[in-house]
Amino acid sequence: MIASDELLERVRSRGFTVVPDALARDSVPRLRERLEQLAEEDLRLWTERPYPGLEGAPYPDGWMVHNPFTRSPEFAALLENEAMHAYLSPLLGATCTLYAYTTSSMPPGGTNLSARVHVDSPRWIPDYPTNVGVIFPLDDFTDDNGATYFLPRSHLSPDAPTEAEFFAGAERVYPRAGDMVVFNARTYHFGGTNRTGRARHAITLNVCRSYMKQRFDYPRLTPKEVVDALGPVGRRFLGFDTRVPASLAEYFVPPERRLYKPNQG
Ligand SMILES: O=C(O)CCC(=O)C(=O)O
């Protein structure tokens, strides 16, 4: 699959774009169903087995499931989504890796942590994106259910807009379920409020340059059966080609057995 030059240019010049038909439409209902199950499971586990020191605290990332691909093959398959990689490679290089993989849902009558003017990458280097965000909507985004706001061209400035400046210039995106939003993660955005009675679900990935640290140590965190089901693109994306040795025995190995493989940037 090849990215559209016009849409890539929109990411570069305006900071974001909607790419149609990134997912097979018939895969969406199952992803949506699994997302709801995982979100409920997270809340239950948080109450039943709180992390030490956090007993009694509310779940910190409500309506966001972290690392769903470790618990559900439907989410693992997206690590190799061809449309996504067709856009990531020209923007970040064909060696880019996953920084974070979560879900983002707007509950009925509410919103989530993304309802603030924010960027998903604090670094600003002129003409050099370090991180790209990808949103896979699992519901059509509308004004009523919390379509995301983006401030066009805000990735071109080192300065943060005020909230007034943001809303004076922001545009909302209206992808359909199964489309994909691709954005320079330094573009200011804001998650909307869902005023309907049905949850608005989405999957959100943040992708970084190959030599940057990932949010989690995915090669250690990902279950073996998930890794075994992936091909070279999925493994590289998880960080398997850019690991670092933990001993001289792991360092002094032939090139084909190196943990940080040659030509990874
Ligand atoms: O779900 C959304 O609409 C926004 C998500 C978001 O802001 C983020 O992932 O940083």
Side-chain angles (χ1 to χ4, degrees):
M1 186 172 293
I2 299 176
S4 140
D5 287 339
E6 187 191 335
L7 297 185
L8 271 176
E9 180 49 28
R10 267 190 226 168
V11 180
R12 291 189 172 113
S13 59
R14 304 189 81 242
F16 60 96
T17 196
V18 174
V19 177
D21 301 320
L23 299 181
R25 299 257 168 230
D26 58 6
S27 68
V28 171
R30 176 70 184 145
L31 283 163
R32 204 177 180 283
E33 181 187 32
R34 283 299 286 142
L35 187 159
E36 294 202 332
Q37 289 166 353
L38 294 176
E40 276 167 28
E41 195 175 281
D42 276 358
L43 289 176
R44 186 169 46 75
L45 289 175
W46 180 262
T47 323
E48 286 173 8
R49 284 193 279 119
Y51 294 92
L54 294 171
E55 295 84 354
Y59 187 72
D61 284 346
W63 292 95
M64 290 183 175
V65 177
H66 289 274
N67 305 327
F69 66 92
T70 59
R71 292 148 70 192
S72 183
E74 294 84 356
F75 286 89
L78 284 191
L79 294 167
E80 298 183 305
N81 180 274
E82 278 188 38
M84 176 176 77
H85 285 287
Y87 282 81
L88 291 176
S89 294
L91 292 167
L92 291 177
T95 54
C96 62
T97 59
L98 181 67
Y99 172 73
Y101 188 153
T102 65
T103 65
S104 177
S105 301
M106 303 307 179
T111 186
N112 68 20
L113 282 177
S114 68
R116 64 205 148 86
V117 177
H118 70 281
V119 290
D120 293 343
S121 157
R123 286 160 292 276
W124 187 80
I125 305 175
D127 297 326
Y128 186 82
T130 61
N131 296 66
V132 167
V134 178
I135 301 176
F136 288 106
L138 300 181
D139 292 284
D140 297 352
F141 281 16
T142 67
D143 283 338
D144 286 342
N145 73 5
T148 324
Y149 297 81
F150 284 91
L151 182 60
R153 291 173 288 280
S154 52
H155 66 302
L156 301 176
S157 166
D159 304 319
T162 62
E163 198 157 303
E165 285 164 347
F166 179 85
F167 283 108
E171 289 176 13
R172 303 188 87 171
V173 286
Y174 301 103
R176 294 176 57 214
D179 292 347
M180 167 174 80
V181 181
V182 178
F183 61 101
N184 180 319
R186 194 61 180 59
T187 311
Y188 281 85
H189 56 289
F190 188 107
T193 298
N194 182 359
R195 298 197 173 78
T196 73
R198 175 184 154 95
R200 191 233 69 186
H201 294 304
I203 300 167
T204 52
L205 284 80
N206 183 307
V207 184
C208 63
R209 300 267 178 184
S210 57
Y211 50 81
M212 289 167 60
K213 278 209 169 67
Q214 301 167 272
R215 177 183 282 173
F216 290 97
D217 185 343
Y218 293 114
R220 279 202 301 151
L221 166 155
T222 309
K224 184 175 179 321
E225 63 274 17
V226 176
V227 176
D228 288 347
L230 291 172
V233 170
R235 288 175 191 223
R236 179 269 293 166
F237 194 51
L238 281 183
F240 275 91
D241 294 352
T242 44
R243 287 174 292 169
V244 290
S247 66
L248 287 182
E250 284 186 358
Y251 179 68
F252 288 120
V253 291
E256 66 277 9
R257 284 183 34 221
R258 277 189 208 156
L259 294 176
Y260 202 118
K261 295 204 164 42
N263 306 315
Q264 291 307 303

